[in-house]
mmCIF file with all atom_site columns, all heavy atoms in Angstrom:
data_model
loop_
_atom_site.group_PDB
_atom_site.id
_atom_site.type_symbol
_atom_site.label_atom_id
_atom_site.label_alt_id
_atom_site.label_comp_id
_atom_site.label_asym_id
_atom_site.label_entity_id
_atom_site.label_seq_id
_atom_site.pdbx_PDB_ins_code
_atom_site.Cartn_x
_atom_site.Cartn_y
_atom_site.Cartn_z
_atom_site.occupancy
_atom_site.B_iso_or_equiv
_atom_site.pdbx_formal_charge
_atom_site.auth_seq_id
_atom_site.auth_comp_id
_atom_site.auth_asym_id
_atom_site.auth_atom_id
_atom_site.pdbx_PDB_model_num
ATOM 1   N N   . ARG A 1 7   ? -73.547  48.780 153.982 1.00 0.00 ? 78  ARG A N   1
ATOM 2   C CA  . ARG A 1 7   ? -73.343  49.960 154.823 1.00 0.00 ? 78  ARG A CA  1
ATOM 3   C C   . ARG A 1 7   ? -74.615  50.744 155.105 1.00 0.00 ? 78  ARG A C   1
ATOM 4   O O   . ARG A 1 7   ? -74.561  51.852 155.565 1.00 0.00 ? 78  ARG A O   1
ATOM 5   C CB  . ARG A 1 7   ? -72.293  50.887 154.223 1.00 0.00 ? 78  ARG A CB  1
ATOM 6   C CG  . ARG A 1 7   ? -70.930  50.301 154.230 1.00 0.00 ? 78  ARG A CG  1
ATOM 7   C CD  . ARG A 1 7   ? -69.925  51.338 153.772 1.00 0.00 ? 78  ARG A CD  1
ATOM 8   N NE  . ARG A 1 7   ? -68.573  50.874 153.942 1.00 0.00 ? 78  ARG A NE  1
ATOM 9   C CZ  . ARG A 1 7   ? -67.943  50.077 153.129 1.00 0.00 ? 78  ARG A CZ  1
ATOM 10  N NH1 . ARG A 1 7   ? -68.547  49.606 152.075 1.00 0.00 ? 78  ARG A NH1 1
ATOM 11  N NH2 . ARG A 1 7   ? -66.706  49.722 153.363 1.00 0.00 ? 78  ARG A NH2 1
ATOM 12  N N   . ASN A 1 9   ? -79.242  50.335 155.682 1.00 0.00 ? 80  ASN A N   1
ATOM 13  C CA  . ASN A 1 9   ? -80.427  49.503 155.731 1.00 0.00 ? 80  ASN A CA  1
ATOM 14  C C   . ASN A 1 9   ? -81.601  50.435 155.491 1.00 0.00 ? 80  ASN A C   1
ATOM 15  O O   . ASN A 1 9   ? -81.844  51.317 156.291 1.00 0.00 ? 80  ASN A O   1
ATOM 16  C CB  . ASN A 1 9   ? -80.532  48.824 157.106 1.00 0.00 ? 80  ASN A CB  1
ATOM 17  C CG  . ASN A 1 9   ? -81.692  47.867 157.181 1.00 0.00 ? 80  ASN A CG  1
ATOM 18  O OD1 . ASN A 1 9   ? -82.645  47.991 156.423 1.00 0.00 ? 80  ASN A OD1 1
ATOM 19  N ND2 . ASN A 1 9   ? -81.617  46.936 158.086 1.00 0.00 ? 80  ASN A ND2 1
ATOM 20  N N   . SER A 1 19  ? -79.073  53.147 166.906 1.00 0.00 ? 90  SER A N   1
ATOM 21  C CA  . SER A 1 19  ? -79.325  53.242 168.348 1.00 0.00 ? 90  SER A CA  1
ATOM 22  C C   . SER A 1 19  ? -78.519  52.213 169.117 1.00 0.00 ? 90  SER A C   1
ATOM 23  O O   . SER A 1 19  ? -77.939  52.522 170.157 1.00 0.00 ? 90  SER A O   1
ATOM 24  C CB  . SER A 1 19  ? -80.819  53.037 168.641 1.00 0.00 ? 90  SER A CB  1
ATOM 25  O OG  . SER A 1 19  ? -81.563  54.049 168.028 1.00 0.00 ? 90  SER A OG  1
ATOM 26  N N   . GLU A 1 35  ? -69.811  65.135 174.127 1.00 0.00 ? 106 GLU A N   1
ATOM 27  C CA  . GLU A 1 35  ? -70.897  66.041 173.781 1.00 0.00 ? 106 GLU A CA  1
ATOM 28  C C   . GLU A 1 35  ? -70.755  66.453 172.320 1.00 0.00 ? 106 GLU A C   1
ATOM 29  O O   . GLU A 1 35  ? -69.674  66.860 171.897 1.00 0.00 ? 106 GLU A O   1
ATOM 30  C CB  . GLU A 1 35  ? -70.847  67.286 174.671 1.00 0.00 ? 106 GLU A CB  1
ATOM 31  C CG  . GLU A 1 35  ? -71.358  67.052 176.071 1.00 0.00 ? 106 GLU A CG  1
ATOM 32  C CD  . GLU A 1 35  ? -72.832  66.715 176.100 1.00 0.00 ? 106 GLU A CD  1
ATOM 33  O OE1 . GLU A 1 35  ? -73.634  67.389 175.417 1.00 0.00 ? 106 GLU A OE1 1
ATOM 34  O OE2 . GLU A 1 35  ? -73.185  65.750 176.808 1.00 0.00 ? 106 GLU A OE2 1
ATOM 35  N N   . ASP A 1 42  ? -76.534  77.866 156.400 1.00 0.00 ? 113 ASP A N   1
ATOM 36  C CA  . ASP A 1 42  ? -77.596  78.064 155.409 1.00 0.00 ? 113 ASP A CA  1
ATOM 37  C C   . ASP A 1 42  ? -77.389  77.138 154.226 1.00 0.00 ? 113 ASP A C   1
ATOM 38  O O   . ASP A 1 42  ? -76.284  77.046 153.686 1.00 0.00 ? 113 ASP A O   1
ATOM 39  C CB  . ASP A 1 42  ? -77.600  79.499 154.877 1.00 0.00 ? 113 ASP A CB  1
ATOM 40  C CG  . ASP A 1 42  ? -78.198  80.484 155.862 1.00 0.00 ? 113 ASP A CG  1
ATOM 41  O OD1 . ASP A 1 42  ? -79.045  80.080 156.682 1.00 0.00 ? 113 ASP A OD1 1
ATOM 42  O OD2 . ASP A 1 42  ? -77.821  81.674 155.808 1.00 0.00 ? 113 ASP A OD2 1
ATOM 43  N N   . HIS A 1 50  ? -72.400  74.192 146.554 1.00 0.00 ? 121 HIS A N   1
ATOM 44  C CA  . HIS A 1 50  ? -71.919  74.788 147.800 1.00 0.00 ? 121 HIS A CA  1
ATOM 45  C C   . HIS A 1 50  ? -71.399  73.673 148.698 1.00 0.00 ? 121 HIS A C   1
ATOM 46  O O   . HIS A 1 50  ? -71.835  72.519 148.588 1.00 0.00 ? 121 HIS A O   1
ATOM 47  C CB  . HIS A 1 50  ? -73.054  75.496 148.547 1.00 0.00 ? 121 HIS A CB  1
ATOM 48  C CG  . HIS A 1 50  ? -73.640  76.646 147.811 1.00 0.00 ? 121 HIS A CG  1
ATOM 49  N ND1 . HIS A 1 50  ? -73.041  77.876 147.744 1.00 0.00 ? 121 HIS A ND1 1
ATOM 50  C CD2 . HIS A 1 50  ? -74.795  76.752 147.108 1.00 0.00 ? 121 HIS A CD2 1
ATOM 51  C CE1 . HIS A 1 50  ? -73.801  78.694 147.041 1.00 0.00 ? 121 HIS A CE1 1
ATOM 52  N NE2 . HIS A 1 50  ? -74.867  78.038 146.632 1.00 0.00 ? 121 HIS A NE2 1
ATOM 53  N N   . VAL A 1 56  ? -63.727  67.684 163.984 1.00 0.00 ? 127 VAL A N   1
ATOM 54  C CA  . VAL A 1 56  ? -63.974  67.231 165.354 1.00 0.00 ? 127 VAL A CA  1
ATOM 55  C C   . VAL A 1 56  ? -62.861  66.276 165.757 1.00 0.00 ? 127 VAL A C   1
ATOM 56  O O   . VAL A 1 56  ? -62.169  65.719 164.899 1.00 0.00 ? 127 VAL A O   1
ATOM 57  C CB  . VAL A 1 56  ? -65.375  66.564 165.470 1.00 0.00 ? 127 VAL A CB  1
ATOM 58  C CG1 . VAL A 1 56  ? -65.420  65.235 164.758 1.00 0.00 ? 127 VAL A CG1 1
ATOM 59  C CG2 . VAL A 1 56  ? -65.815  66.428 166.911 1.00 0.00 ? 127 VAL A CG2 1
ATOM 60  N N   . ARG A 1 61  ? -58.987  65.818 163.902 1.00 0.00 ? 132 ARG A N   1
ATOM 61  C CA  . ARG A 1 61  ? -58.574  64.717 163.029 1.00 0.00 ? 132 ARG A CA  1
ATOM 62  C C   . ARG A 1 61  ? -59.666  64.179 162.123 1.00 0.00 ? 132 ARG A C   1
ATOM 63  O O   . ARG A 1 61  ? -59.376  63.494 161.148 1.00 0.00 ? 132 ARG A O   1
ATOM 64  C CB  . ARG A 1 61  ? -57.953  63.597 163.865 1.00 0.00 ? 132 ARG A CB  1
ATOM 65  C CG  . ARG A 1 61  ? -58.926  62.699 164.577 1.00 0.00 ? 132 ARG A CG  1
ATOM 66  C CD  . ARG A 1 61  ? -58.202  61.839 165.555 1.00 0.00 ? 132 ARG A CD  1
ATOM 67  N NE  . ARG A 1 61  ? -58.316  60.433 165.261 1.00 0.00 ? 132 ARG A NE  1
ATOM 68  C CZ  . ARG A 1 61  ? -57.900  59.506 166.102 1.00 0.00 ? 132 ARG A CZ  1
ATOM 69  N NH1 . ARG A 1 61  ? -57.319  59.826 167.224 1.00 0.00 ? 132 ARG A NH1 1
ATOM 70  N NH2 . ARG A 1 61  ? -58.042  58.244 165.792 1.00 0.00 ? 132 ARG A NH2 1
ATOM 71  N N   . TRP A 1 78  ? -80.028  74.885 158.251 1.00 0.00 ? 149 TRP A N   1
ATOM 72  C CA  . TRP A 1 78  ? -79.729  73.485 158.508 1.00 0.00 ? 149 TRP A CA  1
ATOM 73  C C   . TRP A 1 78  ? -78.714  73.432 159.637 1.00 0.00 ? 149 TRP A C   1
ATOM 74  O O   . TRP A 1 78  ? -78.164  74.465 160.040 1.00 0.00 ? 149 TRP A O   1
ATOM 75  C CB  . TRP A 1 78  ? -79.151  72.828 157.257 1.00 0.00 ? 149 TRP A CB  1
ATOM 76  C CG  . TRP A 1 78  ? -80.172  72.460 156.211 1.00 0.00 ? 149 TRP A CG  1
ATOM 77  C CD1 . TRP A 1 78  ? -81.128  73.265 155.668 1.00 0.00 ? 149 TRP A CD1 1
ATOM 78  C CD2 . TRP A 1 78  ? -80.316  71.186 155.583 1.00 0.00 ? 149 TRP A CD2 1
ATOM 79  N NE1 . TRP A 1 78  ? -81.854  72.566 154.731 1.00 0.00 ? 149 TRP A NE1 1
ATOM 80  C CE2 . TRP A 1 78  ? -81.376  71.292 154.662 1.00 0.00 ? 149 TRP A CE2 1
ATOM 81  C CE3 . TRP A 1 78  ? -79.648  69.977 155.709 1.00 0.00 ? 149 TRP A CE3 1
ATOM 82  C CZ2 . TRP A 1 78  ? -81.784  70.223 153.877 1.00 0.00 ? 149 TRP A CZ2 1
ATOM 83  C CZ3 . TRP A 1 78  ? -80.049  68.910 154.919 1.00 0.00 ? 149 TRP A CZ3 1
ATOM 84  C CH2 . TRP A 1 78  ? -81.115  69.030 154.023 1.00 0.00 ? 149 TRP A CH2 1
ATOM 85  N N   . LYS A 1 131 ? -94.425  65.355 165.733 1.00 0.00 ? 202 LYS A N   1
ATOM 86  C CA  . LYS A 1 131 ? -94.922  63.970 165.798 1.00 0.00 ? 202 LYS A CA  1
ATOM 87  C C   . LYS A 1 131 ? -94.561  63.154 164.566 1.00 0.00 ? 202 LYS A C   1
ATOM 88  O O   . LYS A 1 131 ? -94.914  61.995 164.457 1.00 0.00 ? 202 LYS A O   1
ATOM 89  C CB  . LYS A 1 131 ? -96.435  63.966 166.002 1.00 0.00 ? 202 LYS A CB  1
ATOM 90  C CG  . LYS A 1 131 ? -96.846  64.528 167.334 1.00 0.00 ? 202 LYS A CG  1
ATOM 91  C CD  . LYS A 1 131 ? -98.344  64.460 167.520 1.00 0.00 ? 202 LYS A CD  1
ATOM 92  C CE  . LYS A 1 131 ? -98.712  65.061 168.871 1.00 0.00 ? 202 LYS A CE  1
ATOM 93  N NZ  . LYS A 1 131 ? -100.139 64.977 169.118 1.00 0.00 ? 202 LYS A NZ  1
ATOM 94  N N   . ASP A 1 134 ? -88.633  60.256 160.829 1.00 0.00 ? 205 ASP A N   1
ATOM 95  C CA  . ASP A 1 134 ? -87.726  60.296 159.687 1.00 0.00 ? 205 ASP A CA  1
ATOM 96  C C   . ASP A 1 134 ? -88.299  59.426 158.572 1.00 0.00 ? 205 ASP A C   1
ATOM 97  O O   . ASP A 1 134 ? -88.852  58.354 158.833 1.00 0.00 ? 205 ASP A O   1
ATOM 98  C CB  . ASP A 1 134 ? -86.357  59.718 160.062 1.00 0.00 ? 205 ASP A CB  1
ATOM 99  C CG  . ASP A 1 134 ? -85.538  60.634 160.952 1.00 0.00 ? 205 ASP A CG  1
ATOM 100 O OD1 . ASP A 1 134 ? -85.799  61.850 160.986 1.00 0.00 ? 205 ASP A OD1 1
ATOM 101 O OD2 . ASP A 1 134 ? -84.624  60.123 161.609 1.00 0.00 ? 205 ASP A OD2 1
ATOM 102 N N   . PHE A 1 142 ? -79.618  56.606 146.629 1.00 0.00 ? 213 PHE A N   1
ATOM 103 C CA  . PHE A 1 142 ? -78.328  57.056 147.151 1.00 0.00 ? 213 PHE A CA  1
ATOM 104 C C   . PHE A 1 142 ? -77.397  55.879 147.336 1.00 0.00 ? 213 PHE A C   1
ATOM 105 O O   . PHE A 1 142 ? -77.811  54.721 147.303 1.00 0.00 ? 213 PHE A O   1
ATOM 106 C CB  . PHE A 1 142 ? -78.498  57.818 148.472 1.00 0.00 ? 213 PHE A CB  1
ATOM 107 C CG  . PHE A 1 142 ? -78.888  56.949 149.644 1.00 0.00 ? 213 PHE A CG  1
ATOM 108 C CD1 . PHE A 1 142 ? -77.953  56.623 150.614 1.00 0.00 ? 213 PHE A CD1 1
ATOM 109 C CD2 . PHE A 1 142 ? -80.182  56.469 149.787 1.00 0.00 ? 213 PHE A CD2 1
ATOM 110 C CE1 . PHE A 1 142 ? -78.299  55.828 151.700 1.00 0.00 ? 213 PHE A CE1 1
ATOM 111 C CE2 . PHE A 1 142 ? -80.540  55.677 150.870 1.00 0.00 ? 213 PHE A CE2 1
ATOM 112 C CZ  . PHE A 1 142 ? -79.600  55.356 151.824 1.00 0.00 ? 213 PHE A CZ  1
ATOM 113 N N   . ARG A 1 152 ? -77.542  59.163 143.803 1.00 0.00 ? 223 ARG A N   1
ATOM 114 C CA  . ARG A 1 152 ? -77.295  58.377 142.593 1.00 0.00 ? 223 ARG A CA  1
ATOM 115 C C   . ARG A 1 152 ? -77.913  59.154 141.434 1.00 0.00 ? 223 ARG A C   1
ATOM 116 O O   . ARG A 1 152 ? -79.134  59.309 141.364 1.00 0.00 ? 223 ARG A O   1
ATOM 117 C CB  . ARG A 1 152 ? -77.947  57.005 142.678 1.00 0.00 ? 223 ARG A CB  1
ATOM 118 C CG  . ARG A 1 152 ? -77.241  56.043 143.590 1.00 0.00 ? 223 ARG A CG  1
ATOM 119 C CD  . ARG A 1 152 ? -77.901  54.668 143.449 1.00 0.00 ? 223 ARG A CD  1
ATOM 120 N NE  . ARG A 1 152 ? -77.545  53.816 144.541 1.00 0.00 ? 223 ARG A NE  1
ATOM 121 C CZ  . ARG A 1 152 ? -76.641  52.853 144.473 1.00 0.00 ? 223 ARG A CZ  1
ATOM 122 N NH1 . ARG A 1 152 ? -76.006  52.618 143.346 1.00 0.00 ? 223 ARG A NH1 1
ATOM 123 N NH2 . ARG A 1 152 ? -76.381  52.115 145.528 1.00 0.00 ? 223 ARG A NH2 1
ATOM 124 N N   . PRO A 1 153 ? -77.076  59.639 140.522 1.00 0.00 ? 224 PRO A N   1
ATOM 125 C CA  . PRO A 1 153 ? -77.609  60.395 139.372 1.00 0.00 ? 224 PRO A CA  1
ATOM 126 C C   . PRO A 1 153 ? -78.655  59.572 138.622 1.00 0.00 ? 224 PRO A C   1
ATOM 127 O O   . PRO A 1 153 ? -78.471  58.386 138.386 1.00 0.00 ? 224 PRO A O   1
ATOM 128 C CB  . PRO A 1 153 ? -76.365  60.638 138.508 1.00 0.00 ? 224 PRO A CB  1
ATOM 129 C CG  . PRO A 1 153 ? -75.210  60.576 139.470 1.00 0.00 ? 224 PRO A CG  1
ATOM 130 C CD  . PRO A 1 153 ? -75.612  59.531 140.486 1.00 0.00 ? 224 PRO A CD  1
ATOM 131 N N   . ALA A 1 158 ? -84.617  64.139 144.312 1.00 0.00 ? 229 ALA A N   1
ATOM 132 C CA  . ALA A 1 158 ? -84.422  65.548 144.662 1.00 0.00 ? 229 ALA A CA  1
ATOM 133 C C   . ALA A 1 158 ? -84.905  65.953 146.050 1.00 0.00 ? 229 ALA A C   1
ATOM 134 O O   . ALA A 1 158 ? -84.863  67.121 146.396 1.00 0.00 ? 229 ALA A O   1
ATOM 135 C CB  . ALA A 1 158 ? -85.044  66.465 143.608 1.00 0.00 ? 229 ALA A CB  1
ATOM 136 N N   . ILE A 1 165 ? -74.188  59.726 159.479 1.00 0.00 ? 236 ILE A N   1
ATOM 137 C CA  . ILE A 1 165 ? -72.990  58.913 159.251 1.00 0.00 ? 236 ILE A CA  1
ATOM 138 C C   . ILE A 1 165 ? -72.382  58.525 160.593 1.00 0.00 ? 236 ILE A C   1
ATOM 139 O O   . ILE A 1 165 ? -72.253  59.372 161.482 1.00 0.00 ? 236 ILE A O   1
ATOM 140 C CB  . ILE A 1 165 ? -71.937  59.684 158.422 1.00 0.00 ? 236 ILE A CB  1
ATOM 141 C CG1 . ILE A 1 165 ? -72.451  59.950 157.009 1.00 0.00 ? 236 ILE A CG1 1
ATOM 142 C CG2 . ILE A 1 165 ? -70.613  58.937 158.383 1.00 0.00 ? 236 ILE A CG2 1
ATOM 143 C CD1 . ILE A 1 165 ? -71.545  60.844 156.173 1.00 0.00 ? 236 ILE A CD1 1
ATOM 144 N N   . VAL A 1 166 ? -72.034  57.253 160.726 1.00 0.00 ? 237 VAL A N   1
ATOM 145 C CA  . VAL A 1 166 ? -71.232  56.770 161.852 1.00 0.00 ? 237 VAL A CA  1
ATOM 146 C C   . VAL A 1 166 ? -69.968  56.199 161.223 1.00 0.00 ? 237 VAL A C   1
ATOM 147 O O   . VAL A 1 166 ? -70.044  55.351 160.333 1.00 0.00 ? 237 VAL A O   1
ATOM 148 C CB  . VAL A 1 166 ? -71.964  55.676 162.667 1.00 0.00 ? 237 VAL A CB  1
ATOM 149 C CG1 . VAL A 1 166 ? -71.067  55.159 163.791 1.00 0.00 ? 237 VAL A CG1 1
ATOM 150 C CG2 . VAL A 1 166 ? -73.278  56.207 163.225 1.00 0.00 ? 237 VAL A CG2 1
#
Side-chain angles (χ1 to χ4, degrees):
R78 293 187 172 81
N80 184 337
S90 298
E106 284 295 314
D113 284 333
H121 297 282
V127 70
R132 79 191 242 189
W149 282 52
K202 294 182 181 182
D205 287 339
F213 71 105
R223 286 187 197 258
I236 294 173
V237 177

